[in-house]
Amino acid sequence: MENESNDVVLNFHDSLLYKADVSLLDDQKWLNDKLLGFCFEYFEREKFNHSADKLSLINPDVAQCIKLLPNDQLGEFLEPLNLPSKQYVFLPVNDNSQSEQTGGSHWSLLVYIRSRQEFRHYDSSKHTNQEEAKRLAYKLQPYVLAPMGRMKFLEMDGPQQNNSYDCGVFVIATAEHLCKELCEGYSIPLNDIVTPKTVTETRRKIKDLIYETAKEYSGS
């Protein structure tokens, strides 16, 4: 009999999730690129689709390629994303330097704000991914048409994790909050909303969202 963990739970546009992926949302497990990719895709296509013209949430696999591909190969790769037209670009950052895979041991969030001409880095384990995020920002700079002389990179005072495994959930929760703030005028401070306590609840909400979306997209 086929291993249950290989059973497909959700097929949503470019996201394919198996039981083994969804089980990572149980307590004290590190989230993989597939879970972050689904949440980013869901935010862009569904939850914040009213702002699709100004918002881009980039898949972890694509972010990894941006970080590691030679500059002369990036233009053609990034063209379909239409980044020069976007006001806000979100990218998950990881500390893995291998081009064949996504992962490493830590996730953080990089956000480009066009009106401020700045990249903001939200790291739930302060400064752990700072160099990786800077490298990604400077690789992306020509493709978002950020003016090099005035472009800023800011390490933000964002929510902090108190364990070794919740970084991916912090990225998802922070990205969702910032989308609400930037696209819907939500004004409650990030650090009041995203905390170690609410992140535990976010795990359950993501799991519920996956099963609800699966039901909706299967037509059952």
Side-chain angles (χ1 to χ4, degrees):
M1 192 170 75
E2 209 171 323
N3 190 325
E4 268 199 355
S5 66
N6 292 328
D7 289 352
V8 172
V9 172
L10 172 67
N11 190 344
F12 175 80
H13 299 286
D14 295 330
S15 296
L16 185 64
L17 296 179
Y18 294 88
K19 277 190 177 176
D21 301 315
V22 180
S23 72
L24 298 175
L25 289 161
D26 297 334
D27 291 343
Q28 302 186 13
K29 291 179 182 169
W30 190 84
L31 269 55
N32 65 11
D33 56 304
K34 291 182 180 180
L35 289 167
L36 271 75
F38 161 70
C39 289
F40 272 37
E41 189 170 21
Y42 183 85
F43 292 159
E44 187 175 295
R45 289 182 179 271
E46 298 285 340
K47 186 158 191 175
F48 302 105
N49 68 348
H50 53 65
S51 297
D53 58 330
K54 58 184 176 185
L55 185 64
S56 178
L57 291 107
I58 292 177
N59 183 284
D61 293 337
V62 175
Q64 183 74 352
C65 287
I66 294 168
K67 193 172 74 176
L68 297 171
L69 274 178
N71 286 355
D72 60 0
Q73 293 178 25
L74 275 179
E76 191 177 338
F77 181 71
L78 290 176
E79 194 177 339
L81 298 179
N82 201 20
L83 296 182
S85 73
K86 306 297 183 181
Q87 296 303 309
Y88 313 112
V89 181
F90 287 66
L91 303 99
V93 182
N94 70 67
D95 59 352
N96 177 31
S97 58
Q98 302 302 310
S99 56
E100 314 79 59
Q101 61 189 54
T102 313
S105 60
H106 185 58
W107 293 108
S108 58
L109 177 68
L110 184 66
V111 184
Y112 177 64
I113 312 282
R114 182 171 303 283
S115 63
R116 308 281 300 183
Q117 298 174 357
E118 65 193 26
F119 282 93
R120 298 177 181 176
H121 183 223
Y122 296 85
D123 193 334
S124 59
S125 182
K126 219 172 198 61
H127 303 303
T128 299
N129 274 0
Q130 185 171 358
E131 291 310 310
E132 298 287 344
K134 269 188 185 172
R135 189 189 341 169
L136 187 54
Y138 282 99
K139 286 288 288 287
L140 205 59
Q141 175 265 328
Y143 303 100
V144 294
L145 303 184
M148 182 55 120
R150 298 193 300 279
M151 190 190 91
K152 298 187 283 284
F153 176 91
L154 301 177
E155 196 71 27
M156 305 301 288
D157 184 22
Q160 297 294 294
Q161 65 193 88
N162 57 8
N163 56 47
S164 60
Y165 48 81
D166 267 337
C167 53
V169 196
F170 270 88
V171 166
I172 292 165
T174 300
E176 181 177 18
H177 179 92
L178 293 174
C179 284
K180 287 163 79 172
E181 189 178 280
L182 295 167
C183 300
E184 298 178 349
Y186 193 68
S187 60
I188 300 175
L190 170 64
N191 288 7
D192 290 354
I193 295 293
V194 180
T195 67
K197 186 177 178 182
T198 64
V199 156
T200 300
E201 179 67 8
T202 297
R203 283 182 176 267
R204 185 189 62 75
K205 288 179 178 175
I206 296 168
K207 199 169 188 178
D208 289 348
L209 176 65
I210 288 167
Y211 283 106
E212 284 164 16
T213 307
K215 191 174 179 183
E216 184 182 339
Y217 275 76
S218 68
S220 58

